[in-house]
Structure formats: structure tokens, C-alpha cells
Amino acid sequence: ALNGGPMDGLASLDRKSGSLTGLVRAKGVRASHWLDRLPNGRGELNGDVVIGLGGKLYAPSMSWQIRAAGRLALKNSREFRNGLVSAAGVMTTDALRVDRATVEVGEGVASIQGSLNWRTGRLEGEGRANGLSLALLSDQISGWGAVTAKLAGTLDRPVVEGRVEAYDLAGFGR
């Protein structure tokens, strides 16, 4: 079992060529504890994971796909929203590549794609978010936001540049 979800699969190794092949599936995986590790995330998230194995024994690769649904909220918000998470990519001994990762919460949608080179620490990526409720950040503001960003640099020195827009912005309180 993987965090509460039953797993099944099959893998094989061709001893002559060193080729790996396989597929592993886990359904009903509980991912709520991962949300608690995020700076502002909390909620309930359950989903399915599919992992494909390939490559050679000395240079394996793993394609992965995640689909999950649940109730999500920022830690400083009392409001939970139904959400969907989906992601897919490839991991090798050299890199992690995210071909697409999408989070839908309420009316908002955020998506990212990019890569991390394990050996050099090099980052490359881009992200977009639209229709984000600013009330999820604080109960003293309302409105909607949009973000576009590019990620570069390294794990030690990430560089993010982009644009943030707010619409129908209003503030409340002191």
C-alpha cells in the first residue's frame, strides 16, 4: 500500500540487455500530509498514481502521472474549496521533468511545467495562474488575481521573474 492506497504492478529486467520495463499503479492514495508540508497549504487530498519504468539498469527512467481530488485551503483561511490536482512527468538519474502540473481550486487554475537537473541543480520552468481568489490569502481583501512567471537559476539560487495582476481589488479592516 502507498499511503493507504492499494498498489499493483509488474516489472521486468532483461539480463542480457539490462532493459527495465514495468508499470505500477496505486489507487486512493492519501496525500493530505504532503499539503501540510507546504508553507500555506492544508486540506484533504486523495488520488491515483501511475508509474512507468523504463531505460536500462544503469540508467533507469520513470514516467509518472498523478490525479487527485479533495478539499484545499490556505492555512490562514477558514474557507475550503473543492480542488483537483493532476501532474505528469519523467524522472531519470539526471533530471526531474514536469511536463504539466495543474491545480484547480474554486474558480482558479494554476499550471506549471519545467525541469530540475539533479547533477547541476539547474532549474528551468514556467507557470501561470488565473482566476485566483485573493480572499484565500487574507480575509481583509477581495478580488481576483493572475500570475505568469518564469523560473531559472539553480536550487541554491533560484531566479523567478514574472507578472502579477489584481482585478476588482478591495481592502477591509484597519
Side-chain angles (χ1 to χ4, degrees), residues 72-85:
L72 309 171
L74 295 177
K75 284 188 178 170
N76 61 352
S77 173
R78 292 179 299 279
E79 184 177 354
F80 280 87
R81 302 274 179 108
N82 289 332
L84 298 172
V85 175

Side-chain angles (χ1 to χ4, degrees), residues 5-79:
M7 290 177 56
D8 66 54
L10 180 64
S12 67
L13 168 64
D14 182 318
R15 290 184 189 183
K16 274 188 179 178
S17 67
S19 293
L20 290 170
T21 57
L23 181 71
V24 177
R25 292 182 297 247
K27 295 188 174 270
V29 176
R30 289 189 309 267
S32 302
H33 67 282
W34 293 335
L35 290 173
D36 292 337
R37 292 181 183 175
L38 297 174
N40 290 318
R42 65 186 170 100
E44 303 161 3
L45 191 61
N46 297 296
D48 302 332
V49 177
V50 177
I51 298 171
L53 302 172
K56 301 283 187 178
L57 184 59
Y58 57 86
S61 68
M62 179 179 78
S63 61
W64 50 273
Q65 190 174 56
I66 300 166
R67 294 186 185 277
R71 293 170 34 85
L72 309 171
L74 295 177
K75 284 188 178 170
N76 61 352
S77 173
R78 292 179 299 279
E79 184 177 354

Side-chain angles (χ1 to χ4, degrees), residues 129 132 134 137 144-149 160-167:
L132 302 176
L134 299 179
L137 299 175
W144 301 95
V147 177
T148 57
V160 179
E161 62 179 50
R163 181 179 178 151
V164 177
E165 299 176 14
Y167 304 95

Side-chain angles (χ1 to χ4, degrees), residues 127-141:
R128 290 183 172 73
N130 290 299
L132 302 176
S133 171
L134 299 179
L136 290 175
L137 299 175
S138 169
D139 58 3
Q140 295 184 345
I141 60 173

